[in-house]
Amino acid sequence: MVNNMKKGKKYVAALAKVDENKLYTVEEASKLVLETSTVKFDATVEVSFHLNVDPKKADQQIRGTLVLPHGNGKTKKVLAITDKVEEAKAAGADEVGGAEIIDKINGGWFDFDVIVATPNMMPQIGKVARVLGPKGLMPNPKTGTVSPDIAKAIKEIKAGKVEYRVDKEANMHVSIGRISFGAQKVQDNLNALIDAVIKARPSAVKGAYIKNAVVHTTMGPAIHFTFDGR
């Protein structure tokens, strides 16, 4: 039971709109999440899953990327490490470079959100793996950030490509949009994410795969939803 005495008035009012014992449909949840935002700014809409997987096992470390139908409302600053400089610039990369950029990173420069690279640059990028790894910035073929088609990789990120990844507690958190998107776009993005997570189900998992699923806004209450039959 939630102790409303410790919550702000706006949160309590938002919480009153949510039936904590109900599993909402995707359509219902997409509408309700917009009505329960408690902040004045354009709040982020986030989805959280608790999965029936064991992340300690290699075949159950769920990780992938998805280009959301409507993006997620966040503009990422892309650094391209490649010898295809003009292609990268034309595709919209914010920073482009080669060995000199790697030296810059080694010196403490991190004015970017994501790195994309061509495969031939990976040996050099490996020199700063110990710096990039802990920050989650190391390019990886599994997430499409290492690709010979550097232009495509950049364009997908700029179009709203997001990464989904299960953590060590078997939880997954993904931002799928903003309040200003409206219910239909939130619903479209939510459905796309659900489909991707279902498709990533490991063959070793028995029984229920997604044990819990909620959608909420920044500082808003959790709305539990279901998608039976998918």
Side-chain angles (χ1 to χ4, degrees), residues 32-145:
L32 186 57
V33 73
L34 305 185
E35 299 172 12
T36 55
S37 177
T38 61
V39 295
K40 293 182 179 180
F41 56 85
D42 191 10
T44 297
V45 178
E46 300 181 354
V47 181
S48 298
F49 295 111
H50 180 56
L51 305 179
N52 178 26
V53 298
D54 183 355
K56 294 180 181 179
K57 296 181 179 179
D59 64 341
Q60 297 184 42
Q61 294 175 357
I62 299 171
R63 182 180 185 181
T65 58
L66 168 69
V67 178
L68 294 169
H70 307 289
N72 70 347
K74 296 182 179 180
T75 302
K76 290 186 176 180
K77 195 167 187 178
V78 178
L79 164 62
I81 301 180
T82 178
D83 52 357
K84 299 180 179 180
V85 176
E86 295 308 316
E87 284 185 40
K89 288 181 178 179
D94 299 280
E95 297 281 350
V96 183
E100 76 285 357
I101 288 288
I102 295 170
D103 290 338
K104 197 173 177 181
I105 291 171
N106 205 28
W109 177 74
F110 295 101
D111 189 19
F112 51 86
D113 300 308
V114 60
I115 298 175
V116 295
T118 41
N120 64 315
M121 298 301 296
M122 290 308 294
Q124 294 188 62
I125 295 174
K127 297 175 183 178
V128 288
R130 59 180 178 77
V131 177
L132 298 175
K135 295 179 179 293
L137 294 171
M138 189 67 185
N140 189 318
K142 291 183 179 179
T143 60
T145 48

Side-chain angles (χ1 to χ4, degrees), residues 48-51 53 55 165-173:
S48 298
F49 295 111
H50 180 56
L51 305 179
V53 298
R165 184 177 187 177
V166 69
D167 63 21
K168 62 181 181 180
E169 303 297 332
N171 296 313
M172 181 184 292
H173 309 285

Side-chain angles (χ1 to χ4, degrees), residues 212-229:
N212 191 29
V214 301
V215 61
H216 61 91
T217 61
T218 307
M219 299 175 67
I223 299 165
H224 293 260
F225 65 91
T226 183
F227 37 91
D228 291 336

